[in-house]
Amino acid sequence: MSDKRNVQILPPETFANLKLTKMKDKAVGIPAIISSMRHISKEMGIWRGIKLLNKMNQKDGFDCPGCAWPDPDGKRSGLGEYCENGAKAIAEEATKHRVTPEFFAKHSVEWLSEQTDFFLGKAGRITEPMYLAKGSSHYEPISWDDAFAKIGEKMKSLNSPSEAVFYTSGRTSNEAAYAYQLMARQFGTNNLPDCSNMCHESSGAGLSQTVGIGKGSVTLEDLYESELIMVMGQNPGTNHPRMLTALEKCKKNGGKIVSVNPIPETGNNTFVDPQNPLAIMKGGTKLTDHYLQVKVNGDVALLKAIMILMLEEEDKRPGEVFDLEFIATLTEGYEELVADIRSASFEAMIEQSGLNEKEVREVADLFISKKKIIICWAMGLTQHVNGVDNVKEVVNILLLKGSIGKPGAGTCPVRGHSNVQGDRTMGIWEKPKEGFLSKLDTRFGIQTPREHGVDAVESIQASLDGKVKVYVFMGGNFISATPDSKLTGEAIQNCEMTVQVSTKLNRSHCVTGDEAIILPCLARSDKDEQKSGLQFVTVENSMGVVHKSQGRLDPPSKHLKSEPAIVCGMAHAAMGSEKVNWKEMADNYDTIRDHIEATIAGFDNYNTKVRVPKGFYLPNGARDRNFGTPDSKAHFSIVKAPNRQVKTGHLIMMTIRTHDQYNTTIYGMNDRYRGIEGERRVVLMNPEDMKEQGLTNTQVVNLVGEFDGEIRRSNNYKVISYSIAKGCCATYFPEANVLVPLKSVAKGSNTPVSKFIEIKLEKVG
Ligand SMILES: Nc1nc2c(c(=O)[nH]1)N[C@H]1C(S)=C(S)[C@@H](COP(=O)(O)OP(=O)(O)OC[C@H]3O[C@@H](n4cnc5c(=O)[nH]c(N)nc54)[C@H](O)[C@@H]3O)O[C@H]1N2
Ligand SMILES: Nc1nc2c(c(=O)[nH]1)N[C@H]1C(S)=C(S)[C@@H](COP(=O)(O)OP(=O)(O)OC[C@H]3O[C@@H](n4cnc5c(=O)[nH]c(N)nc54)[C@H](O)[C@@H]3O)O[C@H]1N2
Ligand code: SF4
Ligand SMILES: [Mo]
């Protein structure tokens, strides 16, 4: 390691300036408008900001770069179709601040690595391609041609294509993603890890094995007309704010809402629609009817307890609780599931869930009486050792009710990054299907590899083992987003070359391979002009709607290229344009869409259909009860309640997002809804646990992780007394990622277990 740069892999462990206020009991409303405008005016100027926001999520505008929540199919609000976090995302992206060659000349990578993620992100948009030579301490400007040539030469020099890895973060457009996977596969590897590996991979695995499609089955309309929506392991008020509008519509139509979460998140509580003056005056709509403060990872136990009560009632009134006709004609494995439910102990399930019997019975009554049920979930279910099982148990309960593939009912994994679902549809996956690969081979006259590639966690291990020489990152912030930060840092530093296609600076530009290249790209809101004229891109939201997105702003620098143009540039340099006409694709994205149409199902007449303003729905078998499993049936699964215990005195820690960040991009230092301001190094604890451990509010502790006999540490956190299930605590991602063991992964999806980390606290001073 001696010739490596002396960069800091971890963010500084120093405190900022903690201020505690009360946890908020209402979400959105006027404070959200004020917060949005503060970010907009600080980053981009108020008028420029408002003008741009008026185009966001409109049919002729651009897609919000925030989350993957869908826009209404019908009329869009003239007052704006965005939320506080959409506004923050755009403020961050369309900022006036710039990271120029002069900035890089002034600051060494070592110095930059000592700064916080907040500082790095706030530095601004990167304006020119930059090159960090082997042994050098500073990035220097490089021309696009030279950058592409260096990457092409490096790729050609490898002993095997599998020495290259191509990561994707989920903001990448369909067109860029398609070109990118094609480049990797023409080159000869399926090494295409993505952020989804760390996110909803467990949903993809659980859903495809049971209902034959790795995506959710509901539409926005279904949420409006559902009788019962259960929100599990998700914090929509912060991470999918416009979901609150859909939940409110459901309530107004008479639906009930249950929230299952170790923390009573504000957004799950009361929603004040900022566009409705009456709602503001009245104080908003109470969304959650039943809040279940489940223990971390107590979800299967809860679902089993509910199913036990449902079965008891079904035994008394056959056919009135379960949808027996649906079960008989369209499912497999019902008898086995019933036997499994009968063998489970109600008391044990209640105990493991951390809940009391009365509250579970109340919720079970809803599952017994309602017929149109939706379950929504996110990282609280997927980022567990049994993440895939969590999803399968969700499917079990929905299948018992026939609540899949009918209006007002179904599965709703709420996706994260704004085009993460589209990227998968485009083939960003390390385990591609044979049918897709053979279509690529026929279309382009190439021979794509059949051997599976590495996912995110496997790629880190492969780099540690010296098997990866080149790592290309299509967006994202791999160093900060992945588990076991120190190991990941070592892994990346083991590479000969790292290439980042980025809009903004982050830790991954500081912790690099021997040589590093930054290729600065246009963002969603930027105008994209190519040889054939103004271009647009397309994206797919959480509910499978593909639509157009066209940026409006003059790009922050004339030296930027679009993501598709960058991919085509790299690919041409590495492989030439004989088989795949990369130049033509970069010049006119219609040609990329023609290739997509020819090789991926559901994209017939793509170029025509996507020009219709609201876009189009992709086929979804589960939605039509046409299950894509080998026997065309939906499958019940036998799932065990995990009952994972930690040592006495230890805590189960979950890593979560604040209200002021987008993954590793830190918008600000506040977590407004939770009443925590000015500080990110905090650990939220149950007051009883604090008492048992002799801790007082704001006391400083170090977090010591224990996994498989290995110890990991993260220093300097302030303890905060909080309403959280006993025995559990919470810290913020990404500061605490150093404590997530690389080997602690979900069975069947290999997703890092970011929500169940065994730790003990060590008092400081
Ligand atoms: N503003 C903003 N929006 C975002 C993001 C962002 O960072 N900022 N990130 C985007 C991305 S990529 C994603 S994937 C999504 C993430 O969206 P979420 O999944 O909502 O994000 P997390 O903060 O990880 O929150 C997980 C929630 O699950 C709860 N939880 C944790 N463990 C358990 C458990 O065992 N059981 C149950 N029932 N609950 C549990 C936590 O208390 C928390 O409320 O949001 C997307 N949208
Ligand atoms: N402990 C813990 N770890 C987690 C999670 C957790 O809950 N807990 N969540 C996981 C999840 S759900 C996810 S999705 C991953 C996220 O992992 P990533 O997707 O890798 O991380 P982000 O922070 O979203 O990436 C931010 C960077 O993307 C770049 N960027 C922004 N916009 C664009 C664009 O338009 N184009 C390009 N090319 N680049 C752009 C900017 O440089 C920015 O710094 O993290 C995972 N890690
Ligand atoms: S809900 Fe998500 S997609 Fe919609 S405006 Fe907010 S951040 Fe953007
Ligand atoms: Mo995510």
Side-chain angles (χ1 to χ4, degrees):
M1 296 288 292
S2 56
D3 60 338
K4 304 285 177 233
R5 290 174 195 93
N6 185 23
V7 290
Q8 300 301 311
I9 296 165
L10 301 181
E13 291 184 330
T14 46
F15 287 118
N17 194 10
L18 174 66
K19 191 173 145 229
L20 292 177
T21 59
K22 257 183 53 193
M23 186 189 151
K24 306 294 174 285
D25 56 2
K26 294 188 177 86
V28 193
I30 303 283
I33 301 180
I34 296 173
S35 165
S36 311
M37 288 309 133
R38 196 175 292 144
H39 281 262
I40 286 287
S41 73
K42 201 160 158 205
E43 294 293 330
M44 55 186 303
I46 196 84
W47 294 119
R48 183 168 162 262
I50 288 176
K51 225 170 92 189
L52 188 64
L53 280 171
N54 283 337
K55 282 289 169 204
M56 189 154 88
N57 295 335
Q58 298 296 341
K59 288 177 182 169
D60 63 340
F62 65 96
D63 185 52
C64 171
C67 74
W69 191 253
D71 307 309
D73 285 340
K75 198 172 167 294
R76 310 255 161 110
S77 166
L79 280 174
E81 280 289 352
Y82 57 85
C83 68
E84 174 185 355
N85 272 307
K88 286 181 189 168
I90 211 63
E92 199 74 16
E93 173 172 302
T95 175
K96 290 181 294 194
H97 302 287
R98 300 285 177 264
V99 169
T100 59
E102 292 72 40
F103 175 95
F104 285 111
K106 194 166 154 205
H107 302 301
S108 69
V109 275
E110 288 178 10
W111 185 87
L112 287 170
S113 75
E114 287 159 12
Q115 311 310 309
T116 60
D117 296 70
F118 180 60
F119 171 90
L120 295 175
K122 290 290 175 198
R125 287 284 295 274
I126 307 168
T127 59
E128 284 185 43
M130 301 299 298
Y131 175 59
L132 182 65
K134 189 170 180 179
S136 168
S137 61
H138 287 71
Y139 276 98
E140 287 165 41
I142 183 172
S143 72
W144 280 102
D145 283 348
D146 288 351
F148 288 149
K150 273 194 193 300
I151 297 164
E153 284 312 311
K154 192 75 192 178
M155 283 169 70
K156 284 191 253 182
S157 77
L158 299 179
N159 292 321
S160 142
S162 65
E163 289 180 341
V165 175
F166 301 89
Y167 173 77
T168 312
S169 167
R171 211 170 259 187
T172 298
S173 65
N174 283 353
E175 289 73 7
Y178 184 85
Y180 191 61
Q181 62 79 33
L182 181 61
M183 168 176 78
R185 294 190 167 118
Q186 184 189 7
F187 183 61
T189 181
N190 286 309
N191 281 346
L192 283 157
D194 65 353
C195 66
S196 202
N197 294 147
M198 303 183 272
C199 184
H200 266 295
E201 196 70 63
S202 304
S203 308
L207 290 172
S208 23
Q209 287 164 36
T210 52
V211 294
I213 181 167
K215 306 177 181 183
S217 72
V218 300
T219 65
L220 206 45
E221 298 288 326
D222 288 324
L223 282 141
Y224 303 158
E225 58 179 284
S226 182
E227 294 170 351
L228 173 61
I229 299 180
M230 180 139 106
V231 182
M232 303 185 79
Q234 195 202 343
N235 178 17
T238 285
N239 297 317
H240 308 91
R242 281 196 308 157
M243 179 173 158
L244 303 188
T245 315
L247 294 178
E248 188 189 37
K249 281 199 182 160
C250 170
K251 289 262 353 200
K252 292 215 158 125
N253 291 335
K256 295 277 181 207
I257 293 169
V258 176
S259 298
V260 183
N261 201 309
I263 289 179
E265 303 284 19
T266 300
N268 295 341
N269 195 2
T270 301
F271 168 59
V272 187
D273 183 351
Q275 301 200 351
N276 181 346
L278 208 64
I280 294 172
M281 267 161 54
K282 282 189 177 159
T285 312
K286 185 168 181 315
L287 294 179
T288 295
D289 297 284
H290 295 268
Y291 165 56
L292 298 178
Q293 189 159 36
V294 70
K295 253 177 79 169
V296 168
N297 209 17
D299 303 272
V300 167
L302 164 67
L303 292 170
K304 271 206 197 306
I306 296 175
M307 286 194 279
I308 292 171
L309 297 173
M310 287 163 71
L311 182 59
E312 273 176 23
E313 201 54 30
E314 170 71 17
D315 285 341
K316 286 183 213 151
R317 300 185 280 130
E320 287 184 40
V321 178
F322 295 168
D323 185 341
L324 294 179
E325 199 195 323
F326 169 78
I327 292 171
T329 52
L330 289 169
T331 71
E332 264 305 313
Y334 173 66
E335 280 79 20
E336 290 85 342
L337 180 81
V338 168
D340 180 60
I341 300 174
R342 289 199 201 285
S343 72
S345 147
F346 182 67
E347 290 70 29
M349 292 305 106
I350 291 289
E351 157 85 27
Q352 279 181 43
S353 69
L355 300 162
N356 70 49
E357 188 179 329
K358 182 170 167 283
E359 55 190 351
V360 175
R361 281 191 183 276
E362 282 168 5
V363 170
D365 283 345
L366 292 174
F367 274 86
I368 288 166
S369 62
K370 305 292 180 195
K371 294 207 167 1
K372 296 196 284 183
I373 302 173
I374 290 176
I375 300 185
C376 303
W377 72 91
M379 298 303 100
L381 291 201
T382 61
Q383 295 175 333
H384 279 293
V385 171
N386 60 321
V388 178
D389 276 357
N390 276 338
V391 173
K392 288 184 173 174
E393 197 76 322
V394 163
V395 171
N396 279 341
I397 203 165
L398 291 172
L399 290 180
L400 285 176
K401 297 296 297 185
S403 261
I404 290 192
K406 70 177 181 193
T411 53
C412 185
V414 184
R415 305 300 299 247
H417 264 299
S418 57
N419 197 40
V420 62
Q421 188 158 312
D423 291 347
R424 267 298 159 88
T425 308
M426 292 300 114
I428 301 289
W429 197 24
E430 73 283 355
K431 300 184 190 70
K433 293 257 168 66
E434 170 57 32
F436 173 57
L437 294 178
S438 53
K439 279 194 175 150
L440 291 181
D441 291 351
T442 313
R443 173 88 180 170
F444 297 102
I446 57 177
Q447 184 54 54
T448 55
R450 287 339 192 229
E451 197 190 332
H452 286 171
V454 288
D455 63 22
V457 164
E458 289 164 348
S459 79
I460 297 169
Q461 193 56 54
S463 307
L464 282 170
D465 297 342
K467 292 182 191 154
V468 180
K469 301 273 181 338
V470 182
Y471 216 129
V472 182
F473 300 92
M474 177 49 72
N477 180 3
F478 197 77
I479 292 288
S480 299
T482 47
D484 236 337
S485 315
K486 278 190 189 157
L487 265 189
T488 301
E490 277 174 36
I492 295 303
Q493 287 176 305
N494 238 355
C495 298
E496 290 174 8
M497 179 186 275
T498 46
V499 179
Q500 311 269 346
V501 181
S502 310
T503 49
K504 298 190 78 179
L505 198 61
N506 62 45
R507 195 154 294 281
S508 300
H509 303 108
C510 309
V511 183
T512 65
D514 297 337
E515 290 177 279
I517 296 178
I518 304 177
L519 303 176
C521 64
L522 296 176
R524 276 285 167 76
S525 46
D526 296 329
K527 238 184 253 166
D528 182 354
E529 181 112 39
Q530 303 294 338
K531 227 181 196 160
S532 65
L534 265 188
Q535 305 294 309
F536 64 85
V537 292
T538 57
V539 289
E540 175 183 341
N541 64 34
S542 205
M543 287 165 191
V545 180
V546 177
H547 63 95
K548 187 177 144 184
S549 172
Q550 189 161 33
R552 297 277 146 176
L553 287 179
D554 289 330
S557 140
K558 63 179 192 308
H559 302 292
L560 303 191
K561 282 191 188 290
S562 73
E563 289 180 346
I566 293 173
V567 175
C568 294
M570 288 193 285
H572 178 76
M575 296 172 293
S577 282
E578 240 165 66
K579 297 234 153 112
V580 179
N581 192 339
W582 296 105
K583 283 219 149 80
E584 179 191 66
M585 283 162 69
D587 289 346
N588 183 350
Y589 303 169
D590 277 354
T591 59
I592 308 183
R593 286 185 284 268
D594 286 340
H595 294 315
I596 295 172
E597 176 175 342
T599 49
I600 301 177
F603 287 85
D604 316 305
N605 301 317
Y606 194 7
N607 269 311
T608 313
K609 277 199 314 203
V610 86
R611 283 178 162 86
V612 175
K614 67 177 185 189
F616 60 95
Y617 278 93
L618 284 176
N620 184 311
R623 191 172 287 161
D624 307 326
R625 294 195 165 177
N626 184 6
F627 299 108
T629 50
D631 58 5
S632 304
K633 297 250 171 102
H635 286 244
F636 287 103
S637 327
I638 303 302
V639 164
K640 292 276 158 261
N643 199 22
R644 288 182 74 192
Q645 304 289 344
V646 293
K647 286 189 196 154
T648 316
H650 287 199
L651 294 169
I652 302 167
M653 182 179 92
M654 54 181 186
T655 53
I656 54 175
R657 294 156 169 79
T658 70
H659 194 61
D660 243 1
Q661 72 184 83
Y662 194 90
N663 299 338
T664 69
T665 301
I666 313 301
Y667 296 149
M669 297 298 287
N670 299 337
D671 198 1
R672 193 174 81 240
Y673 290 161
R674 300 196 184 108
I676 299 163
E677 295 188 4
E679 183 58 78
R680 295 182 49 84
R681 299 193 78 84
V682 292
V683 51
L684 279 51
M685 273 183 81
N686 178 296
E688 281 179 48
D689 290 328
M690 281 173 63
K691 212 164 143 202
E692 277 168 25
Q693 304 213 11
L695 293 164
T696 51
N697 221 17
T698 71
Q699 185 163 348
V700 178
V701 294
N702 296 330
L703 310 183
V704 183
E706 259 190 50
F707 177 81
D708 231 2
E710 296 168 357
I711 298 290
R712 287 172 179 76
R713 310 179 63 85
S714 189
N715 295 329
N716 279 352
Y717 287 81
K718 288 190 177 165
V719 172
I720 291 181
S721 169
Y722 204 81
S723 172
I724 180 167
K726 184 147 183 348
C728 306
C729 67
T731 48
Y732 298 144
F733 146 58
E735 285 81 354
N737 280 37
V738 61
L739 296 168
V740 184
L742 189 64
K743 292 204 167 73
S744 175
V745 289
K747 284 197 203 89
S749 69
N750 223 26
T751 295
V753 178
S754 305
K755 297 290 190 267
F756 194 112
I757 304 152
E758 175 165 356
I759 59 151
K760 65 179 177 205
L761 304 180
E762 192 181 74
K763 288 181 207 166
V764 176

